[in-house]
Amino acid sequence: MSSRSGSTRDYETSGQSQHHSASPPAPESSDTETEGLIFYHMDLYGSKERFDIFPEELSGRGDRSLGDTRRESALSSEKVQRPQEVGYDLEKEVAELAKMYGLDEDKEKELELLGGHLEKMESRWPPARSGKAGLQDSIYNISKSSSSVKDPSQSPKQQRLPDEASQGENQSKARADDEAESTIWSRGGLSSGGMSDEWNSQAVSEEEEEEEEAADVFCSTCKIPIRAFDKLFGEHKDHEVAQLPSAVESEKEEIHKNMCKLEEQIAQMENVASHLEEIFITVEENFGRQEQNFEVHYNDAVQVLAQKYEEQLEALGEEKRQKLEALYEQLVSCGKHLDTCKELTDETQELFLENDKVEFMKAAVTMVDRLEEFLKKEVDLELSTLPDFEERVIDVSEVEQLMNSINAIPAPCAPVINPQAPNAATGTSLRVCWGLFSDDTVECYQLCYQPVSNERHSDGQAEHTLKVKETYCTITDLLPNTQYEFWVSALNASGISPPSERAVYVTAPSPPTIKNKKIRSCENAALVCWESRDINPVDSYTVELSKLTDEENDDIITESIVGIPNCEVLIHLQPTQKYQICVRAQNLGGSSERSEPILIHTTGTCFYLNEDTAHPLLAILDDGFTISCDELENPECDLPVYDNSFTRCIAILGSLIPFPGKHYWEVEVEEDTEYRIGVAFENTPRHGHLGANNSSWCMRHIITPSRHKYEFLHSGMTPDIRITIPPRRIGILLDYENCRLAFFNADIAQHLHTFNSRFQHYVHPCFALETPGILRIHTGITTPPWTALP
């Protein structure tokens, strides 16, 4: 029996299955000490090696030898110990389960999902569970603990290979043990003894533990949490499951969505409730308004009825008066006629009483004439008027119209037009807004506008009308920098409201035009000039300059100079930079679009030639910086000249240089050309020569038969200077601060002459030709270092 106890693993002592083990009392043997029952927790779905733990005699296979049984027991002991020592192959176990129960490939993923649960349940598998392929009953082993347990200090080899002296004794003990075990099985002690009760109570407790075991997966079909084992072999086998944490997160997300929808619905219901409250208040207000309207219409209807009654009563009285007057006249006439008849009757009767025949005949002739004349008159025996009155009916159509208009909406009140808002205008459009400060129903609005004329009679201005639905309108196709007046009326089915007060709007100006030929610049400043394209004056101008710091990336740093009242501005800049400059015009309507940009390089002084000062014989070529004179006629010719043109000297002035500091430019000359170059004041005489007065300083080149002569003239005087190398490119340095004007041979960096003079005003570059030739002017040049003072 020692070999068996050495091959079994006590799960109580290992701590893996304490709740599955029990030690019920067992029959005592004469050659053994007190023996107990050890229950081995068997994995129902383990490998085939689990059948090798118990001897075959317990399964009814007694034909095998005791040595084979003990060898199998020893092998089983090693196999049982190996999973605990080496590790349990879970994937292999899952694959065997899938193959055993015919699960398809789709279930393998679910088995992997549930693998952790199966691993956790490995040490707690119940001793009895329903299953398939003969695994319906629990397999347990009844073993007796031997008192002759081997010393733990012995080696495994000594334990596995006992000596031959004790082999016979062990075999006899094993045979006795087998007989005792057979006796126990035959007596059915497991079902009737105390061990049976303990086993039943243990099974019940394990079933309760399984029922109380927490669910770790979620059945998506039944919508309930379940155990992983139920997915494999329970009623949820074919259902779709998910991990419990992911199902919890999914349900939380679904609840969150529903909560968001619920909050939206609550917000909607609150809005509806708020709207209902507003409708409730509106109903009260409309009731009061309709009640007041009904009362007004009722009073109007009553007033109309009273007026109709008075009119009809007055007409009835007039008819009565006319009838009575007609009857009275007819009655008076009838009385007069009756009196005449009675009078003639009485006279006729008296005539018949006359006895004197002569008198009778005289009187009878007269009476007959009177009677004939009286009887010739027609007597109106018909009534002049009837006693019946004309049937009069009060016209209630107006009253009906008033009553029908009780439920009709009234004509709206006059709207209120808003003043012009900032940035509501462009050069050709205006955005006009207005409001209706009443609850009147409005179907549309009628907007009217026309340009504002400065003339006294503006009846000739065209009036434009638009119909719009909204309380705003953008009017296009307008003139820039022009004032327009607007007024608006509201319309509905009952009519049109009175017009609003008139409001004056103004469009934005047109973009200015920069005068490129009047731009001057130097290393640290620029003078920019422009002109307005609008007829009406603007309020101010804004200059926007952008320093181009990186041509590749087009990195632009923008600055603005605002509130410029005139059409020019002096801008301070940084040397050796490139600037882009634009101009905007401003008025009450807003800002115009940008003008066309110009580029300014602050590498040197730039100026342009003033064509207004050019002599008629002097021509400026297309580049704007080359002057020429083809043939030299009488300078004082009769060609048309400007008021500011030179008339005697074939000269021209450049733009004024209004910047303090140093300014440098060069003039390319021809060796066989006589010329004068330098600077001059604005008021230098146009009928004289450059350098011949105190308002100009110039260098003159004269060709004599013997040499090239150079003069540096001011007030007609020149120092005696000889220049051996005729310059082809002359550099001119104007230094306001140091009060000097210097000339250089730029090709060889040679100083020629310097005028030391305090310039009282800013000067113009000046150029003149005294023989046919060409002068080329170069500006924007960086001042060379060799021009510095010695």
Side-chain angles (χ1 to χ4, degrees):
M1 198 57 194
S2 59
S3 62
R4 179 178 300 179
S5 54
S7 64
T8 57
R9 191 179 184 95
D10 190 354
Y11 282 81
E12 276 193 56
T13 58
S14 65
Q16 297 183 8
S17 169
Q18 296 179 5
H19 60 284
H20 292 288
S21 62
S23 299
E28 295 182 356
S29 178
S30 61
D31 55 347
T32 60
E33 297 180 0
T34 305
E35 297 175 349
L37 297 177
I38 300 178
F39 292 90
Y40 293 92
H41 172 67
M42 300 303 299
D43 189 350
L44 294 179
Y45 312 102
S47 62
K48 298 183 297 180
E49 297 173 353
R50 62 180 175 273
F51 297 107
D52 298 335
I53 297 177
F54 306 102
E56 293 183 359
E57 287 82 358
L58 297 180
S59 301
R61 287 175 283 188
D63 55 343
R64 302 178 64 178
S65 65
L66 180 62
D68 294 338
T69 301
R70 292 180 177 177
R71 268 194 305 272
E72 289 177 0
S73 299
L75 292 174
S76 300
S77 174
E78 292 179 0
K79 292 179 181 179
V80 169
Q81 291 177 358
R82 189 179 300 113
Q84 302 297 330
E85 296 173 357
V86 178
Y88 182 65
D89 192 352
L90 178 64
E91 295 182 358
K92 184 178 179 180
E93 186 75 10
V94 172
E96 290 179 359
L97 286 173
K99 185 176 180 180
M100 181 181 299
Y101 295 104
L103 299 180
D104 54 6
E105 295 181 356
D106 295 338
K107 299 296 183 177
E108 293 182 3
K109 187 175 181 180
E110 298 179 359
L111 290 173
E112 293 178 0
L113 179 69
L114 306 176
H117 175 73
L118 294 176
E119 184 177 3
K120 182 181 69 174
M121 295 178 60
E122 176 189 1
S123 61
R124 299 176 56 190
W125 208 270
R129 187 178 305 274
S130 60
K132 296 181 181 180
L135 297 179
Q136 297 179 354
D137 298 330
S138 297
I139 301 175
Y140 60 92
N141 184 22
I142 303 175
S143 174
K144 298 181 179 180
S145 299
S146 176
S147 59
S148 59
V149 180
K150 290 188 177 183
D151 187 4
S153 61
Q154 291 180 352
S155 64
K157 182 177 180 180
Q158 294 174 346
Q159 293 179 4
R160 287 194 303 268
L161 300 175
D163 55 78
E164 296 178 356
S166 61
Q167 185 175 2
E169 182 181 359
N170 291 336
Q171 289 179 356
S172 61
K173 290 182 179 180
R175 190 177 297 109
D177 291 341
D178 292 340
E179 292 176 358
E181 289 171 0
S182 300
T183 304
I184 295 173
W185 277 98
S186 62
R187 287 204 306 257
L190 293 177
S191 60
S192 60
M195 183 184 67
S196 176
D197 296 337
E198 184 173 356
W199 167 258
N200 292 334
S201 62
Q202 182 180 359
V204 172
S205 63
E206 288 183 355
E207 290 179 359
E208 292 177 355
E209 285 185 4
E210 289 177 359
E211 292 177 358
E212 295 176 357
E213 185 178 355
D216 50 3
V217 294
F218 181 78
C219 178
S220 302
T221 305
C222 301
K223 302 296 182 182
I224 58 173
I226 62 173
R227 297 174 303 168
F229 181 81
D230 295 337
K231 165 61 183 170
L232 292 176
F233 308 107
E235 59 181 357
H236 304 281
K237 178 179 179 181
D238 298 329
H239 294 179
E240 182 180 356
V241 298
Q243 288 185 353
L244 192 60
S246 62
V248 170
E249 293 298 328
S250 176
E251 290 299 323
K252 286 183 179 180
E253 184 178 356
E254 188 68 23
I255 293 174
H256 178 69
K257 291 181 181 179
N258 293 332
M259 286 297 296
C260 293
K261 293 180 180 179
L262 184 60
E263 290 176 358
E264 293 178 359
Q265 189 172 1
I266 291 173
Q268 293 177 357
M269 294 304 298
E270 289 178 351
N271 293 335
V272 170
S274 177
H275 183 63
L276 290 176
E277 293 177 359
E278 294 177 358
I279 295 298
F280 183 86
I281 298 173
T282 304
V283 168
E284 293 290 343
E285 293 176 352
N286 291 340
F287 171 75
R289 191 181 300 111
Q290 289 294 335
E291 184 180 16
Q292 183 179 3
N293 186 30
F294 180 79
E295 184 178 357
V296 171
H297 282 75
Y298 172 77
N299 294 334
D300 292 342
V302 171
Q303 185 176 359
V304 169
L305 286 174
Q307 184 178 357
K308 294 292 183 181
Y309 171 77
E310 294 293 337
E311 290 176 357
Q312 293 296 333
L313 186 61
E314 184 179 356
L316 185 62
E318 181 65 22
E319 185 179 1
K320 172 186 175 183
R321 184 185 64 79
Q322 292 176 0
K323 285 180 178 294
L324 292 178
E325 288 180 356
L327 290 173
Y328 178 75
E329 291 177 358
Q330 189 175 10
L331 181 61
V332 171
S333 176
C334 183
K336 290 180 179 180
H337 191 76
L338 183 60
D339 292 343
T340 302
C341 289
K342 289 181 178 180
E343 182 180 355
L344 289 176
T345 301
D346 293 341
E347 289 180 358
T348 301
Q349 290 178 357
E350 291 178 359
L351 182 59
F352 279 104
L353 296 176
E354 182 67 39
N355 295 326
D356 188 0
K357 294 181 179 180
V358 176
E359 292 294 333
F360 175 78
M361 289 303 296
K362 290 181 180 181
V365 173
T366 304
M367 181 58 66
V368 170
D369 293 336
R370 288 179 62 189
L371 289 174
E372 288 180 354
E373 183 178 0
F374 179 76
L375 293 175
K376 287 181 179 179
K377 294 181 180 181
E378 294 182 359
V379 179
D380 188 6
L381 301 178
E382 295 181 358
L383 294 175
S384 59
T385 182
L386 297 175
D388 298 330
F389 283 84
E390 180 182 355
E391 184 178 356
R392 297 183 179 276
V393 179
I394 297 178
D395 186 9
V396 295
S397 60
E398 186 175 355
V399 178
E400 291 178 354
Q401 184 178 359
L402 288 174
M403 298 302 295
N404 292 334
S405 65
I406 291 178
N407 295 324
I409 57 175
C413 300
V416 178
I417 196 165
N418 300 339
Q420 184 172 355
N423 301 322
T426 65
T428 58
S429 66
L430 285 170
R431 181 181 174 88
V432 184
C433 301
W434 60 89
L436 187 68
F437 297 96
S438 65
D439 295 331
D440 298 334
T441 302
V442 176
E443 295 180 359
C444 64
Y445 295 92
Q446 179 176 289
L447 178 65
C448 303
Y449 67 96
Q450 66 181 11
V452 176
S453 176
N454 295 328
E455 301 177 0
R456 294 181 179 179
H457 303 285
S458 59
D459 297 338
Q461 296 291 338
E463 181 178 316
H464 304 273
T465 302
L466 297 173
K467 286 189 176 181
V468 294
K469 294 287 187 181
E470 297 80 10
T471 57
Y472 60 88
C473 181
T474 300
I475 299 93
T476 57
D477 299 330
L478 302 178
L479 298 176
N481 198 30
T482 304
Q483 291 183 340
Y484 291 85
E485 58 180 358
F486 293 86
W487 62 97
V488 63
S489 301
L491 292 86
N492 62 12
S494 298
I496 185 171
S497 72
S500 65
E501 296 290 336
R502 300 198 174 196
V504 176
Y505 282 52
V506 58
T507 54
S510 300
T513 301
I514 298 178
K515 299 178 180 179
N516 292 330
K517 293 186 177 182
K518 290 190 176 181
I519 295 176
R520 287 148 282 177
S521 64
C522 64
E523 293 183 354
N524 52 18
L527 181 65
V528 182
C529 303
W530 60 87
E531 62 182 358
S532 175
R533 294 165 52 188
D534 298 319
I535 300 176
N536 299 323
V538 300
D539 296 340
S540 63
Y541 296 93
T542 298
V543 174
E544 298 177 353
L545 62 152
S546 305
K547 183 169 65 174
L548 307 180
T549 58
D550 191 347
E551 295 183 359
E552 295 181 358
N553 298 328
D554 199 22
D555 185 12
I556 298 178
I557 302 174
T558 303
E559 299 178 5
S560 297
I561 304 173
V562 300
I564 303 172
N566 302 320
C567 290
E568 66 176 23
V569 64
L570 180 64
I571 308 172
H572 295 282
L573 305 174
Q574 297 178 1
T576 65
Q577 298 294 333
K578 182 180 179 182
Y579 291 89
Q580 176 178 285
I581 296 179
C582 301
V583 182
R584 296 178 186 265
Q586 304 279 344
N587 66 1
L588 293 177
S591 174
S592 70
E593 298 293 331
R594 285 183 175 183
S595 65
E596 290 294 329
I598 60 167
L599 293 178
I600 292 179
H601 298 266
T602 57
T603 54
T605 300
C606 293
F607 57 83
Y608 292 89
L609 298 178
N610 191 349
E611 298 180 5
D612 295 341
T613 63
H615 189 276
L617 296 178
L618 195 67
I620 302 175
L621 301 187
D622 295 339
D623 61 357
F625 293 96
T626 303
I627 61 175
S628 66
C629 180
D630 295 335
E631 54 181 284
L632 189 60
E633 300 178 0
N634 182 11
E636 298 181 359
C637 60
D638 296 333
L639 294 175
V641 294
Y642 296 102
D643 294 338
N644 199 27
S645 301
F646 285 93
T647 58
R648 185 176 181 182
C649 179
I650 305 177
I652 187 173
L653 295 180
S655 304
L656 184 70
I657 302 179
F659 316 113
K662 296 180 180 180
H663 305 279
Y664 179 82
W665 64 93
E666 295 179 354
V667 181
E668 187 178 350
V669 300
E670 296 179 348
E671 189 175 353
D672 57 348
T673 301
E674 296 183 355
Y675 54 83
R676 296 179 187 228
I677 56 176
V679 297
F681 288 140
E682 173 68 30
N683 59 355
T684 189
R686 302 296 192 265
H687 58 278
H689 290 279
L690 297 176
N693 47 60
N694 61 358
S695 60
S696 59
W697 298 258
C698 69
M699 171 184 175
R700 183 185 182 191
H701 174 231
I702 305 172
I703 302 176
T704 63
S706 59
R707 65 185 178 90
H708 291 274
K709 183 179 181 181
Y710 293 92
E711 298 177 344
F712 296 91
L713 299 171
H714 176 62
S715 298
M717 300 177 64
T718 179
D720 186 10
I721 297 177
R722 289 181 176 270
I723 299 176
T724 57
I725 302 176
R728 300 295 302 272
R729 193 179 182 98
I730 302 172
I732 302 174
L733 177 65
L734 173 64
D735 191 349
Y736 282 117
E737 295 178 355
N738 295 310
C739 305
R740 70 184 186 123
L741 175 67
F743 296 87
F744 301 89
N745 186 343
D747 292 331
I748 60 175
Q750 180 187 15
H751 175 256
L752 301 178
H753 179 71
T754 297
F755 289 101
N756 293 308
S757 176
R758 185 176 297 276
F759 301 103
Q760 298 177 355
H761 308 285
Y762 291 119
V763 296
H764 295 256
C766 58
F767 312 91
L769 287 170
E770 295 184 347
T771 59
I774 293 176
L775 295 179
R776 292 183 178 87
I777 303 153
H778 300 276
T779 64
I781 303 173
T782 303
T783 304
W786 40 262
T787 61
L789 289 172

